Amino acid sequence: METINDFFQQLSNVLWGWPMIILLLGTHLFLTFRLRIPQRKLLTGIRLSVTKEPGSQGDVSQFGALATAMAATIGTGNIVGVATAVALGGPGAVLWCWLTGIFGIATKYAEGLLAIKYRIKDKSGHFYGGPMYALERGLGMKWLAVLFAFFTAMAAFGIGATVQANSIAMMSYETYKIPQWLMGICVCLLIGMVVLGGVKSIARVCGVLVPFMAVFYAAGCTILLCMNAHYVWPAIRLIVLSAFQPEAAGGGFVGASVMMAARFGIARGLFSNESGLGSAPIVAATAQTRNPVRQALVSSTATFWDTVIICALTGIVLVSSILAHPDISYADGGALTKVAFSKIPILGAPILALAILTFAFSTILGWCYYGESAIRYLINRRAINYYRIAFIAAVFIGSITNLNVIWNIADCMNALMAAPNLISLLLLSGVAARETKRYLWDNHLDDE
């Protein structure tokens, strides 16, 4: 087992090394300018996300599709992941994470556009889409579509099931002394009740859970920012300066170079918002929308909320907490987060615990649908029920076992998902540009 773990850890380091980071960030930059900076229409996307589309074709509302996508992306990485980036890359990593989110909006926009453009409608009237359909129908690369679907199905077992379930079980035990096996059974039952209803059931639950958990977590961060009021501006200034001048960090942050700040900040931003990974367009394809660009704008807001807002908020809270309390140890990301929130009297630990529980639970729901869609593409619709059983079993296994190996395997599957998706985005960027010009820049956004 140790040999297997070492192998996947080394493979993960290679797959998520500088070549992948440059490819992802390069795609973000390329699509930003190729599509004429769609970030300018962010407010339009937010408005459309809460606008009903009567008469439009699709399985769920645009908000339901957005909530499901955000459920899968807003996870423990937004909390512990940012803290890890700060611990390893210094405060400057927060700025690089934020910039990744800004440019990643264009990639998430293109993913949503292609998802609607190449989605299919089956005999029962349900819609399906995602990078596998874009690869097959847009580029004729069936073999690459199959690879993407396979890696997605496998990644769902890791990052979507076992890893998240382990976070829930560990947090429940450490905070409330609930046995991990008992929490695992409870989570399995809740997941089973929701996923048996398909994407509509998942979207309904996520539509309630995602706004609640985001507002609840933001409220906790706001309390900490108020407590650290005198250190908030110095923290923001430190984040910006140390992103380019490592010596500006000073104190315990000495040693975090610009390259380290950029590496860990960019990597955390890319991993957090999943722009370029190819998962979110799977559910975006089910949305009720008049045309591809309307859903593309809605999809792009997920990266804004996930990274530009939540990750940035977490980063400012952590850095200001370190400045306000120099005794806080920042060497370990998880410990840093717990210590920072413990400064809130009485409510600190419950706020953090509930945030991690809801973030992880919602991620399981979103990734279950991604895995189901991949299995449907690879095999057939009848195989989905067997996949659900295996997925729920993986949730229980994750609740009671050590996950070092699974973490590394999941990281590898995620990177292998990204490669085919990026190929489709780059090769079909011309299609995305034409659709964007027609509907967005030529003012035909309300057309069918």
Side-chain angles (χ1 to χ4, degrees):
M1 184 62 67
E2 184 177 348
T3 302
I4 294 174
N5 184 52
D6 290 342
F7 170 78
F8 280 104
Q9 184 174 23
Q10 293 175 15
L11 181 60
S12 176
N13 291 336
V14 172
L15 292 174
W16 283 106
W18 275 110
M20 176 61 77
I21 291 175
I22 292 172
L23 179 59
L24 277 165
L25 189 58
T27 301
H28 293 350
L29 292 169
F30 171 75
L31 290 174
T32 292
F33 296 105
R34 183 75 171 87
L35 303 177
R36 296 167 55 184
I37 315 179
Q39 290 91 332
R40 291 181 287 165
K41 295 293 184 177
L42 181 64
L43 291 178
T44 301
I46 294 174
R47 175 178 61 81
L48 290 175
S49 68
V50 293
T51 301
K52 292 185 178 180
E53 294 275 356
S56 298
Q57 290 190 322
D59 293 332
V60 299
S61 67
Q62 288 184 306
F63 179 76
L66 174 65
T68 304
M70 289 183 63
T73 55
I74 299 179
T76 54
N78 296 81
I79 304 175
V80 179
V82 174
T84 301
V86 172
L88 298 176
V94 177
L95 179 64
W96 288 107
C97 178
W98 186 80
L99 289 173
T100 300
I102 290 291
F103 291 110
I105 289 173
T107 298
K108 190 63 71 76
Y109 168 92
E111 288 179 322
L113 189 156
L114 295 176
I116 298 295
K117 177 71 175 177
Y118 294 107
R119 69 180 179 178
I120 64 169
K121 184 178 181 180
D122 68 5
K123 295 179 181 179
S124 60
H126 295 296
F127 287 84
Y128 300 94
M132 51 277 207
Y133 295 92
L135 285 163
E136 179 182 354
R137 304 183 69 212
L139 296 171
M141 295 182 175
K142 174 75 173 180
W143 64 274
L144 201 54
V146 169
L147 284 179
F148 173 84
F150 173 77
F151 293 137
T152 300
M154 293 299 101
F157 282 118
I159 197 65
T162 52
V163 169
Q164 304 302 327
N166 187 260
S167 297
I168 293 174
M170 290 296 294
M171 178 58 68
S172 300
Y173 179 75
E174 292 174 1
T175 307
Y176 303 108
K177 300 304 179 184
I178 300 174
Q180 291 179 234
W181 64 267
L182 179 59
M183 180 53 66
I185 292 175
C186 293
V187 173
C188 287
L189 291 174
L190 291 173
I191 293 295
M193 291 170 59
V194 176
V195 302
L196 287 177
V199 66
K200 292 183 178 181
S201 175
I202 293 173
R204 282 196 299 269
V205 173
C206 291
V208 174
L209 187 60
V210 168
F212 165 76
M213 70 185 192
V215 171
F216 184 81
Y217 177 66
C221 289
T222 301
I223 293 173
L224 277 172
L225 290 177
C226 290
M227 293 174 62
N228 301 335
H230 294 296
Y231 298 92
V232 172
W233 176 247
I236 294 174
R237 185 173 181 273
L238 180 61
I239 287 169
V240 174
L241 290 178
S242 58
F244 306 100
Q245 303 173 15
E247 64 275 6
F253 289 116
V254 170
S257 67
V258 172
M259 292 296 289
M260 289 176 65
R263 177 189 173 188
F264 290 109
I266 292 172
R268 178 43 50 198
L270 295 172
F271 198 75
S272 172
N273 60 55
E274 297 183 10
S275 294
L277 193 62
S279 53
I282 295 175
V283 71
T286 67
Q288 298 165 353
T289 185
R290 297 182 195 173
N291 58 64
V293 170
R294 290 175 74 91
Q295 180 55 35
L297 289 171
V298 172
S299 295
S300 70
T301 64
T303 299
F304 170 75
W305 296 119
D306 177 274
T307 305
V308 179
I309 299 298
I310 295 180
C311 284
L313 190 61
T314 301
I316 295 172
V317 163
L318 294 175
V319 176
S320 65
S321 294
I322 292 172
L323 294 178
H325 308 281
D327 58 312
I328 288 182
S329 172
Y330 64 89
D332 177 78
L336 170 58
T337 306
K338 290 180 182 179
V339 174
F341 272 83
S342 69
K343 300 300 180 181
I344 302 178
I346 304 174
L347 297 176
I351 288 176
L352 180 61
L354 187 58
I356 290 179
L357 291 176
T358 53
F359 281 17
F361 182 79
S362 67
T363 299
I364 294 173
L365 290 178
W367 271 95
C368 183
Y369 180 71
Y370 295 160
E372 287 181 11
S373 299
I375 288 298
R376 183 191 182 281
Y377 180 84
L378 289 171
I379 307 175
N380 54 46
R381 188 173 182 177
R382 292 189 296 274
I384 290 177
N385 287 330
Y386 297 104
Y387 182 83
R388 286 173 178 167
I389 294 172
F391 187 90
I392 293 173
V395 169
F396 181 75
I397 292 172
S399 301
I400 60 174
T401 57
N402 184 290
L403 295 179
N404 288 335
V405 175
I406 296 175
W407 256 115
N408 290 322
I409 294 175
D411 283 347
C412 294
M413 294 300 104
N414 282 348
L416 293 171
M417 280 176 62
N421 181 56
L422 292 174
I423 290 173
S424 70
L425 287 171
L426 294 173
L427 295 183
L428 293 172
S429 62
V431 174
R434 287 194 298 272
E435 295 287 308
T436 300
K437 181 180 184 301
R438 174 188 173 187
Y439 289 107
L440 191 59
W441 307 128
D442 290 346
N443 298 315
H444 293 292
L445 195 58
D446 293 327
D447 294 352
E448 295 290 341

